[in-house]
């Protein structure tokens, strides 16, 4: 079955960097769109960055210019490089895989990112 496993979260000071990884299994990775979402306490889950199977990318305005999404189809992995982190970036970050042929998209378990001021 499909499995998405995030890693790379942690505690970092404001201005620091983290690189999140999401390892996928059980899917034909090269044909799915991959998205990073985040959810802060008391807030709705929001899209952070997306990379399509064709490697088109889009970002939330709040992270544009600071975060970079990339994918390695040979490793079945997607990454989120986060630079110049701010306390408002604190959230649980989730990896999501979407394909038009699925009834629902697939989610990982999430990884916590905490940015201290």
């Amino acid at each position: 079955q499909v499995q998405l496993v995030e890693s790379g979260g942690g505690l970092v000071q404001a201005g620091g960097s983290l690189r999140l990884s999401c390892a996928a299994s059980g899917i034909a990775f090269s044909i799915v769109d991959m998205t990073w979402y985040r959810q802060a306490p008391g807030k709705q889950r929001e899209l952070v960055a997306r990379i399509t199977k064709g490697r088109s990318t889009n970002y939330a305005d709040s992270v544009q210019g600071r975060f970079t999404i990339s994918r390695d189809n040979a490793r079945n992995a997607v990454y989120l490089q986060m630079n110049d982190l701010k306390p408002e970036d604190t959230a649980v970050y989730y990896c999501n895989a979407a394909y038009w042929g699925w009834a629902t998209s697939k989610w990982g378990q999430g990884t916590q990112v905490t940015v201290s001021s």
Side-chain angles (χ1 to χ4, degrees), residues 17-117:
S17 298
L18 283 174
R19 187 188 192 219
L20 304 184
S21 299
C22 172
S25 60
I27 57 176
F29 186 77
S30 64
I31 65 172
V32 301
D33 296 337
M34 299 298 298
T35 304
W36 286 99
Y37 288 83
R38 68 186 180 187
Q39 188 166 19
K43 295 189 176 181
Q44 288 190 329
R45 192 170 297 190
E46 63 175 356
L47 184 149
V48 176
R50 171 173 289 141
I51 185 165
T52 69
K53 60 182 183 294
R55 298 182 185 271
S56 297
T57 60
N58 63 283
Y59 297 90
D61 289 344
S62 59
V63 307
Q64 184 76 45
R66 300 188 297 123
F67 291 11
T68 302
I69 189 170
S70 61
R71 65 190 295 160
D72 184 341
N73 289 345
R75 296 179 182 271
N76 283 8
V78 63
Y79 308 100
L80 186 68
Q81 178 66 44
M82 307 187 294
N83 298 328
D84 190 22
L85 283 160
K86 305 175 186 296
E88 52 263 42
D89 295 318
T90 295
V92 178
Y93 284 70
Y94 297 91
C95 177
N96 175 276
Y99 175 61
W100 66 268
W102 294 340
T104 60
S105 63
K106 314 300 181 183
W107 294 91
Q109 83 290 347
T111 186
Q112 176 71 47
V113 171
T114 303
V115 184
S116 63
S117 57

Side-chain angles (χ1 to χ4, degrees), residues 1-13:
Q1 68 272 19
V2 177
Q3 189 172 19
L4 302 174
V5 180
E6 301 97 333
S7 61
L11 173 64
V12 63
Q13 289 189 330

